[in-house]
Amino acid sequence: DTEVTQTPKHLVMGMTNKKSLKCEQHMGHRAMYWYKQKAKKPPELMFVYSYEKLSINESVPSRFSPECPNSSLLNLHLHALQPEDSALYLCASSQLRPDTQYFGPGTRLTVL
Amino acid sequence: GENVEQHPSTLSVQEGDSAVIKCTYSDSASNYFPWYKQELGKRPQLIIDIRSNVGEKKDQRIAVTLNKTAKHFSLHITETQPEDSAVYFCAATKDSENYGQNFVFGPGTRLSVLP
């Protein structure tokens, strides 16, 4: 199984809402990632988890809160987002050594 | 830190022609270079990759070449087909012990294959 899954596919939320994005992989990868992608731009790294521990936080605002409950699951908790946070949020996983990152289908987030 | 540049930003070719996209990187320690294809509304998908101990790699109509001295790598697509139309991203990364990989992506090339 070389697939990363993400839910939901689409999410519309107000600026006062709290929501969560979910990501799952069963490839035994020990690194998992959250990316934000705006239209016509490359994916922008937000967080990296290795061995279920946060190893990279690319100066992301605290309204984004990642969580890695186990080696297969990755969550991104959202609170008090701004309209400019509207984007495609991609999850990915990989081995720890330099190797392919497998991307999930993404969650299209719209903040009203 | 690493910086990846990518050219051209847009490329139009006639069906059957070849397409070449070039990326340059700044960190000589980078040792893994993947290429991703992203169709509209879909996830980035790996199409080919190359490691720093290899100069060239080919997979059917797709090839990648790496020049470590000049710090650039290129994607070559031959006999292009309309379904090759997409945005292509190059990336570079290096060993980082247990910290996962910090892929640095190029800004992307929008390839249009005209029938």
Side-chain angles (χ1 to χ4, degrees):
Chain A
D1 184 4
T2 58
E3 191 172 4
V4 177
T5 59
Q6 286 186 246
T7 56
K9 288 185 179 180
H10 301 276
L11 179 62
V12 179
M13 59 187 290
M15 290 189 284
T16 58
N17 291 158
K18 285 185 180 182
K19 297 286 185 182
S20 296
L21 309 184
K22 297 186 183 300
C23 174
E24 189 168 3
Q25 59 92 9
H26 294 288
M27 293 178 277
H29 291 161
R30 301 315 298 267
M32 296 186 75
Y33 310 79
W34 280 115
Y35 287 89
K36 174 182 177 180
Q37 187 176 28
K38 290 280 208 178
K40 301 183 180 181
K41 296 289 187 182
E44 179 184 344
L45 185 66
M46 300 174 71
F47 303 104
V48 181
Y49 273 83
S50 59
Y51 289 107
E52 297 98 69
K53 286 183 169 44
L54 185 64
S55 57
I56 297 177
N57 176 342
E58 293 286 6
S59 303
V60 179
S62 60
R63 58 186 183 268
F64 295 92
S65 175
E67 178 196 18
C68 191
N70 59 54
S71 60
S72 299
L73 294 174
L74 187 66
N75 299 321
L76 185 63
H77 303 296
L78 314 173
H79 173 55
L81 295 191
Q82 305 296 310
E84 59 264 29
D85 296 322
S86 298
L88 180 67
Y89 287 84
L90 293 161
C91 173
S93 72
S94 75
Q95 303 290 354
L96 287 171
R97 62 184 173 85
D99 205 348
T100 306
Q101 286 190 16
Y102 293 90
F103 285 86
T107 294
R108 175 74 59 189
L109 174 66
T110 303
V111 182
L112 301 176
Chain B
E2 176 67 277
N3 181 53
V4 177
E5 297 183 356
Q6 184 173 347
H7 298 281
S9 57
T10 60
L11 179 60
S12 293
V13 299
Q14 289 294 134
E15 183 177 358
D17 287 350
S18 296
V20 180
I21 303 170
K22 182 176 176 179
C23 287
T24 59
Y25 61 99
S26 60
D27 189 344
S28 56
S30 289
N31 59 0
Y32 177 67
F33 308 92
W35 283 91
Y36 284 85
K37 174 184 180 182
Q38 188 173 26
E39 297 177 67
L40 190 62
K42 297 194 174 180
R43 74 186 83 190
Q45 291 202 295
L46 181 83
I47 55 170
I48 198 166
D49 57 8
I50 193 166
R51 298 185 187 276
S52 58
N53 59 349
V54 175
E56 183 174 358
K57 184 176 178 181
K58 191 173 181 181
D59 182 4
Q60 298 183 339
R61 296 186 297 110
I62 295 172
V64 56
T65 58
L66 172 64
N67 183 326
K68 284 190 296 183
T69 304
K71 289 191 279 190
H72 66 70
F73 56 110
S74 298
L75 176 71
H76 304 255
I77 306 174
T78 59
E79 300 172 23
T80 53
Q81 301 167 3
E83 51 265 37
D84 295 328
S85 296
V87 179
Y88 291 80
F89 294 104
C90 63
T93 192
K94 61 184 179 183
D95 293 324
S96 60
E97 297 182 344
N98 290 334
Y99 297 107
Q101 305 162 39
N102 188 354
F103 270 23
V104 178
F105 284 92
T109 295
R110 181 170 299 278
L111 173 65
S112 299
V113 179
L114 308 174

